[in-house]
Amino acid sequence: MTHLRPLVAAGGIALFATFAPAGAKAAECGTDDTITIANMTWLSASVLANVTEQILSEGYGCNAELVPGDTVPTATSMLTKSEPDIAPEMWVSTAQAIWDKAMDKGNVYKAGDIFGDGGVEGWWIPDYVAEEHPEIKSVTDLKENWEVFSEPSSPDAGRLYGCPPGWGCEIITNNLFDALGLEETFELFSPGSGANLKASFARKVTRKEPIVGYYWGPTAVIGRYNLVRLEMPPFEQEKFTCLTDSNCADPQVTGWKKGEVAVAATTDLREKAAPVADFLSKMQVPNDVVNKVLAWGDEQSASPEDTAVYFLKTYEDVWTEWVPEDVATSVKESLS
């Protein structure tokens, strides 16, 4: 994982040092090996990584550590190196080809579904654009209505804000852009990062200007900025699998698959740490809770670590169902 960001790793190590319990009991964890957790670069995944780390460290006495990650690099690393041990929010549908190889190899497994209602991806526009332009309802309406989304810097083409580099959705968006023939009237604009993509939506909505771009839910952005998802044709597995492949020879339009968002883990961890595997199998958050937690974090400009603590303090009824009572007690005591 040489292309991952060292700054995030440093933050993860510092966090572990802060939360690591005195006299940790490896026997309760099942292993004294360091358990690595993918700390993805978007808020929900980072919050869930911090929640996982704190429960493992404070509740089970594990040696747990955050490591930097993103969908494709993490899925690839889990496939080829069986590292990291846990990815609490793995968007399977955006890394389908890699995930299928991992399932065939058998060194990675799906411990559960992290979101109660699954994940939603697609291309979105603000509600005021949808109201002003009822002719734009589907992704197939974009090509003929490019003028709505042109920018002063490039008035001869519409602008589609794509998926951040390194994310699995980047490959899908790029292939879908080609499949729709949008290169004839649009430019595919890379936001550079998830933070820049969010800022782009915020800036446009604040100014009541048009924008169309990739986003996903559950997130604070969807609810806070009243985004409307453009319709898509029915989902077809074979076409969608090709869209997830950077070498897809003949991309074709298909609906975005409802997000299978897994708690991914290595089989090695399951075999050596049964208590951890049991916890991971029960780890699931209702979508509306995720939206509320993320909205709080966004409005407070809170860090993923602080947002994780907010979740643990505010939604005890959710996460205490994942762990035995004594583990829950230890985690709650660490928060006081």
mmCIF file of all heavy atoms in Angstrom, residues 30-66:
data_model
loop_
_atom_site.group_PDB
_atom_site.id
_atom_site.type_symbol
_atom_site.label_atom_id
_atom_site.label_comp_id
_atom_site.label_asym_id
_atom_site.label_seq_id
_atom_site.Cartn_x
_atom_site.Cartn_y
_atom_site.Cartn_z
ATOM 1 N N GLY A 30 -8.651 -12.350 21.589
ATOM 2 C CA GLY A 30 -8.419 -13.586 20.861
ATOM 3 C C GLY A 30 -7.058 -13.634 20.216
ATOM 4 O O GLY A 30 -6.599 -14.705 19.797
ATOM 5 N N THR A 31 -6.397 -12.498 20.119
ATOM 6 C CA THR A 31 -5.059 -12.456 19.539
ATOM 7 C C THR A 31 -4.323 -11.248 20.094
ATOM 8 O O THR A 31 -4.953 -10.238 20.426
ATOM 9 C CB THR A 31 -5.112 -12.365 18.007
ATOM 10 O OG1 THR A 31 -3.777 -12.280 17.486
ATOM 11 C CG2 THR A 31 -5.885 -11.130 17.550
ATOM 12 N N ASP A 32 -3.031 -11.371 20.230
ATOM 13 C CA ASP A 32 -2.241 -10.198 20.615
ATOM 14 C C ASP A 32 -1.541 -9.591 19.395
ATOM 15 O O ASP A 32 -0.762 -8.648 19.531
ATOM 16 C CB ASP A 32 -1.233 -10.530 21.716
ATOM 17 C CG ASP A 32 -0.306 -11.665 21.346
ATOM 18 O OD1 ASP A 32 -0.383 -12.130 20.177
ATOM 19 O OD2 ASP A 32 0.481 -12.100 22.196
ATOM 20 N N ASP A 33 -1.828 -10.121 18.215
ATOM 21 C CA ASP A 33 -1.321 -9.501 16.986
ATOM 22 C C ASP A 33 -2.009 -8.149 16.776
ATOM 23 O O ASP A 33 -3.165 -7.960 17.182
ATOM 24 C CB ASP A 33 -1.601 -10.383 15.772
ATOM 25 C CG ASP A 33 -0.815 -11.684 15.805
ATOM 26 O OD1 ASP A 33 0.161 -11.766 16.578
ATOM 27 O OD2 ASP A 33 -1.214 -12.613 15.071
ATOM 28 N N THR A 34 -1.322 -7.234 16.154
ATOM 29 C CA THR A 34 -1.944 -5.957 15.831
ATOM 30 C C THR A 34 -3.018 -6.153 14.765
ATOM 31 O O THR A 34 -2.772 -6.772 13.730
ATOM 32 C CB THR A 34 -0.889 -4.959 15.320
ATOM 33 O OG1 THR A 34 0.071 -4.722 16.353
ATOM 34 C CG2 THR A 34 -1.543 -3.637 14.927
ATOM 35 N N ILE A 35 -4.209 -5.654 15.048
ATOM 36 C CA ILE A 35 -5.322 -5.717 14.091
ATOM 37 C C ILE A 35 -5.388 -4.389 13.361
ATOM 38 O O ILE A 35 -5.567 -3.333 13.970
ATOM 39 C CB ILE A 35 -6.651 -5.991 14.809
ATOM 40 C CG1 ILE A 35 -6.600 -7.360 15.506
ATOM 41 C CG2 ILE A 35 -7.826 -5.941 13.828
ATOM 42 C CD1 ILE A 35 -7.834 -7.670 16.342
ATOM 43 N N THR A 36 -5.235 -4.432 12.046
ATOM 44 C CA THR A 36 -5.222 -3.205 11.250
ATOM 45 C C THR A 36 -6.609 -2.937 10.657
ATOM 46 O O THR A 36 -7.303 -3.856 10.210
ATOM 47 C CB THR A 36 -4.184 -3.294 10.127
ATOM 48 O OG1 THR A 36 -4.380 -4.508 9.388
ATOM 49 C CG2 THR A 36 -2.780 -3.281 10.697
ATOM 50 N N ILE A 37 -6.991 -1.662 10.677
ATOM 51 C CA ILE A 37 -8.325 -1.238 10.233
ATOM 52 C C ILE A 37 -8.169 -0.155 9.169
ATOM 53 O O ILE A 37 -7.499 0.856 9.400
ATOM 54 C CB ILE A 37 -9.130 -0.673 11.423
ATOM 55 C CG1 ILE A 37 -9.182 -1.690 12.566
ATOM 56 C CG2 ILE A 37 -10.538 -0.274 10.981
ATOM 57 C CD1 ILE A 37 -9.579 -1.070 13.903
ATOM 58 N N ALA A 38 -8.796 -0.351 8.015
ATOM 59 C CA ALA A 38 -8.701 0.634 6.921
ATOM 60 C C ALA A 38 -9.424 1.920 7.297
ATOM 61 O O ALA A 38 -10.607 1.904 7.607
ATOM 62 C CB ALA A 38 -9.302 0.052 5.647
ATOM 63 N N ASN A 39 -8.692 3.011 7.271
ATOM 64 C CA ASN A 39 -9.246 4.332 7.548
ATOM 65 C C ASN A 39 -9.409 5.062 6.221
ATOM 66 O O ASN A 39 -8.514 5.755 5.752
ATOM 67 C CB ASN A 39 -8.309 5.098 8.479
ATOM 68 C CG ASN A 39 -8.925 6.391 8.989
ATOM 69 O OD1 ASN A 39 -10.114 6.634 8.818
ATOM 70 N ND2 ASN A 39 -8.111 7.213 9.616
ATOM 71 N N MET A 40 -10.592 4.884 5.595
ATOM 72 C CA MET A 40 -10.835 5.462 4.274
ATOM 73 C C MET A 40 -10.882 6.988 4.357
ATOM 74 O O MET A 40 -11.004 7.564 5.441
ATOM 75 C CB MET A 40 -12.144 4.915 3.701
ATOM 76 C CG MET A 40 -12.258 3.401 3.683
ATOM 77 S SD MET A 40 -11.216 2.588 2.464
ATOM 78 C CE MET A 40 -11.962 0.944 2.435
ATOM 79 N N THR A 41 -10.865 7.617 3.192
ATOM 80 C CA THR A 41 -10.702 9.075 3.166
ATOM 81 C C THR A 41 -12.010 9.853 3.197
ATOM 82 O O THR A 41 -11.984 11.076 3.150
ATOM 83 C CB THR A 41 -9.909 9.496 1.919
ATOM 84 O OG1 THR A 41 -10.560 8.989 0.755
ATOM 85 C CG2 THR A 41 -8.486 8.976 1.978
ATOM 86 N N TRP A 42 -13.176 9.181 3.249
ATOM 87 C CA TRP A 42 -14.427 9.916 3.368
ATOM 88 C C TRP A 42 -14.973 9.735 4.776
ATOM 89 O O TRP A 42 -14.639 8.790 5.484
ATOM 90 C CB TRP A 42 -15.436 9.513 2.301
ATOM 91 C CG TRP A 42 -15.888 8.093 2.333
ATOM 92 C CD1 TRP A 42 -17.015 7.601 2.933
ATOM 93 C CD2 TRP A 42 -15.250 6.967 1.734
ATOM 94 N NE1 TRP A 42 -17.110 6.246 2.747
ATOM 95 C CE2 TRP A 42 -16.036 5.827 2.018
ATOM 96 C CE3 TRP A 42 -14.061 6.800 0.988
ATOM 97 C CZ2 TRP A 42 -15.680 4.557 1.578
ATOM 98 C CZ3 TRP A 42 -13.727 5.529 0.568
ATOM 99 C CH2 TRP A 42 -14.530 4.436 0.855
ATOM 100 N N LEU A 43 -15.846 10.686 5.190
ATOM 101 C CA LEU A 43 -16.197 10.816 6.608
ATOM 102 C C LEU A 43 -16.853 9.576 7.195
ATOM 103 O O LEU A 43 -16.439 9.114 8.265
ATOM 104 C CB LEU A 43 -17.119 12.027 6.802
ATOM 105 C CG LEU A 43 -17.513 12.323 8.255
ATOM 106 C CD1 LEU A 43 -16.290 12.548 9.125
ATOM 107 C CD2 LEU A 43 -18.457 13.534 8.309
ATOM 108 N N SER A 44 -17.868 9.024 6.528
ATOM 109 C CA SER A 44 -18.570 7.888 7.130
ATOM 110 C C SER A 44 -17.631 6.717 7.367
ATOM 111 O O SER A 44 -17.661 6.083 8.428
ATOM 112 C CB SER A 44 -19.745 7.462 6.251
ATOM 113 O OG SER A 44 -19.295 7.059 4.965
ATOM 114 N N ALA A 45 -16.777 6.422 6.383
ATOM 115 C CA ALA A 45 -15.859 5.296 6.524
ATOM 116 C C ALA A 45 -14.824 5.563 7.611
ATOM 117 O O ALA A 45 -14.454 4.661 8.372
ATOM 118 C CB ALA A 45 -15.157 5.023 5.192
ATOM 119 N N SER A 46 -14.347 6.798 7.698
ATOM 120 C CA SER A 46 -13.359 7.121 8.721
ATOM 121 C C SER A 46 -13.987 7.073 10.116
ATOM 122 O O SER A 46 -13.358 6.619 11.080
ATOM 123 C CB SER A 46 -12.753 8.504 8.449
ATOM 124 O OG SER A 46 -11.686 8.765 9.338
ATOM 125 N N VAL A 47 -15.231 7.546 10.228
ATOM 126 C CA VAL A 47 -15.920 7.471 11.516
ATOM 127 C C VAL A 47 -16.093 6.016 11.937
ATOM 128 O O VAL A 47 -15.822 5.644 13.085
ATOM 129 C CB VAL A 47 -17.295 8.175 11.435
ATOM 130 C CG1 VAL A 47 -18.119 7.886 12.686
ATOM 131 C CG2 VAL A 47 -17.112 9.673 11.262
ATOM 132 N N LEU A 48 -16.521 5.176 10.998
ATOM 133 C CA LEU A 48 -16.710 3.759 11.315
ATOM 134 C C LEU A 48 -15.389 3.084 11.655
ATOM 135 O O LEU A 48 -15.346 2.192 12.509
ATOM 136 C CB LEU A 48 -17.390 3.056 10.139
ATOM 137 C CG LEU A 48 -18.853 3.426 9.921
ATOM 138 C CD1 LEU A 48 -19.349 2.925 8.572
ATOM 139 C CD2 LEU A 48 -19.723 2.857 11.048
ATOM 140 N N ALA A 49 -14.314 3.489 11.001
ATOM 141 C CA ALA A 49 -12.999 2.937 11.328
ATOM 142 C C ALA A 49 -12.618 3.303 12.757
ATOM 143 O O ALA A 49 -12.107 2.465 13.519
ATOM 144 C CB ALA A 49 -11.947 3.451 10.344
ATOM 145 N N ASN A 50 -12.877 4.558 13.136
ATOM 146 C CA ASN A 50 -12.565 4.990 14.501
ATOM 147 C C ASN A 50 -13.463 4.306 15.533
ATOM 148 O O ASN A 50 -13.004 3.963 16.629
ATOM 149 C CB ASN A 50 -12.695 6.512 14.601
ATOM 150 C CG ASN A 50 -11.464 7.238 14.077
ATOM 151 O OD1 ASN A 50 -10.450 7.339 14.770
ATOM 152 N ND2 ASN A 50 -11.537 7.714 12.853
ATOM 153 N N VAL A 51 -14.730 4.104 15.187
ATOM 154 C CA VAL A 51 -15.634 3.367 16.084
ATOM 155 C C VAL A 51 -15.114 1.937 16.289
ATOM 156 O O VAL A 51 -15.056 1.435 17.413
ATOM 157 C CB VAL A 51 -17.064 3.343 15.503
ATOM 158 C CG1 VAL A 51 -17.934 2.326 16.242
ATOM 159 C CG2 VAL A 51 -17.693 4.737 15.568
ATOM 160 N N THR A 52 -14.736 1.295 15.193
ATOM 161 C CA THR A 52 -14.216 -0.079 15.268
ATOM 162 C C THR A 52 -12.955 -0.130 16.120
ATOM 163 O O THR A 52 -12.806 -1.005 16.983
ATOM 164 C CB THR A 52 -13.905 -0.600 13.850
ATOM 165 O OG1 THR A 52 -15.068 -0.489 13.037
ATOM 166 C CG2 THR A 52 -13.448 -2.050 13.901
ATOM 167 N N GLU A 53 -12.060 0.814 15.872
ATOM 168 C CA GLU A 53 -10.794 0.843 16.627
ATOM 169 C C GLU A 53 -11.042 1.014 18.116
ATOM 170 O O GLU A 53 -10.422 0.342 18.946
ATOM 171 C CB GLU A 53 -9.910 1.966 16.082
ATOM 172 C CG GLU A 53 -8.475 1.964 16.598
ATOM 173 C CD GLU A 53 -8.341 2.682 17.920
ATOM 174 O OE1 GLU A 53 -9.226 3.485 18.272
ATOM 175 O OE2 GLU A 53 -7.359 2.410 18.629
ATOM 176 N N GLN A 54 -11.976 1.909 18.467
ATOM 177 C CA GLN A 54 -12.193 2.180 19.887
ATOM 178 C C GLN A 54 -12.867 0.998 20.580
ATOM 179 O O GLN A 54 -12.537 0.665 21.717
ATOM 180 C CB GLN A 54 -13.034 3.441 20.064
ATOM 181 C CG GLN A 54 -13.052 3.905 21.513
ATOM 182 C CD GLN A 54 -13.227 5.394 21.673
ATOM 183 O OE1 GLN A 54 -13.138 6.119 20.706
ATOM 184 N NE2 GLN A 54 -13.452 5.840 22.884
ATOM 185 N N ILE A 55 -13.811 0.360 19.903
ATOM 186 C CA ILE A 55 -14.455 -0.818 20.504
ATOM 187 C C ILE A 55 -13.446 -1.945 20.683
ATOM 188 O O ILE A 55 -13.416 -2.606 21.729
ATOM 189 C CB ILE A 55 -15.651 -1.268 19.641
ATOM 190 C CG1 ILE A 55 -16.792 -0.253 19.769
ATOM 191 C CG2 ILE A 55 -16.118 -2.663 20.039
ATOM 192 C CD1 ILE A 55 -17.990 -0.543 18.888
ATOM 193 N N LEU A 56 -12.598 -2.165 19.670
ATOM 194 C CA LEU A 56 -11.602 -3.235 19.786
ATOM 195 C C LEU A 56 -10.591 -2.921 20.885
ATOM 196 O O LEU A 56 -10.236 -3.800 21.684
ATOM 197 C CB LEU A 56 -10.882 -3.435 18.452
ATOM 198 C CG LEU A 56 -11.702 -4.040 17.310
ATOM 199 C CD1 LEU A 56 -10.837 -4.218 16.066
ATOM 200 C CD2 LEU A 56 -12.300 -5.381 17.721
ATOM 201 N N SER A 57 -10.126 -1.671 20.935
ATOM 202 C CA SER A 57 -9.100 -1.312 21.916
ATOM 203 C C SER A 57 -9.660 -1.248 23.322
ATOM 204 O O SER A 57 -9.118 -1.854 24.254
ATOM 205 C CB SER A 57 -8.460 0.039 21.551
ATOM 206 O OG SER A 57 -7.793 -0.025 20.327
ATOM 207 N N GLU A 58 -10.751 -0.505 23.474
ATOM 208 C CA GLU A 58 -11.290 -0.258 24.815
ATOM 209 C C GLU A 58 -12.184 -1.385 25.304
ATOM 210 O O GLU A 58 -12.237 -1.660 26.498
ATOM 211 C CB GLU A 58 -12.070 1.057 24.819
ATOM 212 C CG GLU A 58 -11.248 2.293 24.503
ATOM 213 C CD GLU A 58 -10.231 2.621 25.589
ATOM 214 O OE1 GLU A 58 -10.353 2.079 26.704
ATOM 215 O OE2 GLU A 58 -9.315 3.410 25.316
ATOM 216 N N GLY A 59 -12.895 -2.022 24.377
ATOM 217 C CA GLY A 59 -13.833 -3.053 24.791
ATOM 218 C C GLY A 59 -13.236 -4.438 24.870
ATOM 219 O O GLY A 59 -13.510 -5.197 25.812
ATOM 220 N N TYR A 60 -12.425 -4.773 23.874
ATOM 221 C CA TYR A 60 -11.862 -6.121 23.805
ATOM 222 C C TYR A 60 -10.394 -6.173 24.200
ATOM 223 O O TYR A 60 -9.825 -7.264 24.289
ATOM 224 C CB TYR A 60 -12.005 -6.672 22.381
ATOM 225 C CG TYR A 60 -13.421 -7.025 21.997
ATOM 226 C CD1 TYR A 60 -14.239 -6.116 21.332
ATOM 227 C CD2 TYR A 60 -13.959 -8.280 22.287
ATOM 228 C CE1 TYR A 60 -15.535 -6.426 20.960
ATOM 229 C CE2 TYR A 60 -15.254 -8.619 21.922
ATOM 230 C CZ TYR A 60 -16.040 -7.675 21.266
ATOM 231 O OH TYR A 60 -17.331 -8.005 20.916
ATOM 232 N N GLY A 61 -9.745 -5.029 24.397
ATOM 233 C CA GLY A 61 -8.331 -5.017 24.746
ATOM 234 C C GLY A 61 -7.423 -5.449 23.617
ATOM 235 O O GLY A 61 -6.327 -5.958 23.840
ATOM 236 N N CYS A 62 -7.856 -5.244 22.393
ATOM 237 C CA CYS A 62 -7.043 -5.610 21.228
ATOM 238 C C CYS A 62 -5.951 -4.570 20.977
ATOM 239 O O CYS A 62 -6.070 -3.406 21.361
ATOM 240 C CB CYS A 62 -7.909 -5.696 19.969
ATOM 241 S SG CYS A 62 -9.195 -6.959 19.976
ATOM 242 N N ASN A 63 -4.913 -5.014 20.317
ATOM 243 C CA ASN A 63 -3.929 -4.084 19.771
ATOM 244 C C ASN A 63 -4.434 -3.684 18.386
ATOM 245 O O ASN A 63 -4.196 -4.383 17.410
ATOM 246 C CB ASN A 63 -2.554 -4.733 19.672
ATOM 247 C CG ASN A 63 -1.999 -5.094 21.032
ATOM 248 O OD1 ASN A 63 -2.040 -4.289 21.954
ATOM 249 N ND2 ASN A 63 -1.518 -6.323 21.180
ATOM 250 N N ALA A 64 -5.163 -2.596 18.325
ATOM 251 C CA ALA A 64 -5.792 -2.180 17.065
ATOM 252 C C ALA A 64 -5.140 -0.909 16.549
ATOM 253 O O ALA A 64 -4.761 -0.036 17.329
ATOM 254 C CB ALA A 64 -7.283 -1.956 17.271
ATOM 255 N N GLU A 65 -5.053 -0.817 15.243
ATOM 256 C CA GLU A 65 -4.360 0.324 14.632
ATOM 257 C C GLU A 65 -5.035 0.717 13.321
ATOM 258 O O GLU A 65 -5.365 -0.145 12.501
ATOM 259 C CB GLU A 65 -2.907 -0.053 14.356
ATOM 260 C CG GLU A 65 -2.091 1.017 13.677
ATOM 261 C CD GLU A 65 -0.660 0.561 13.436
ATOM 262 O OE1 GLU A 65 0.060 0.316 14.425
ATOM 263 O OE2 GLU A 65 -0.288 0.414 12.262
ATOM 264 N N LEU A 66 -5.244 2.018 13.134
ATOM 265 C CA LEU A 66 -5.773 2.516 11.867
ATOM 266 C C LEU A 66 -4.656 2.610 10.842
ATOM 267 O O LEU A 66 -3.540 2.999 11.168
ATOM 268 C CB LEU A 66 -6.406 3.891 12.062
ATOM 269 C CG LEU A 66 -7.569 4.005 13.051
ATOM 270 C CD1 LEU A 66 -8.080 5.447 13.090
ATOM 271 C CD2 LEU A 66 -8.690 3.055 12.684
#
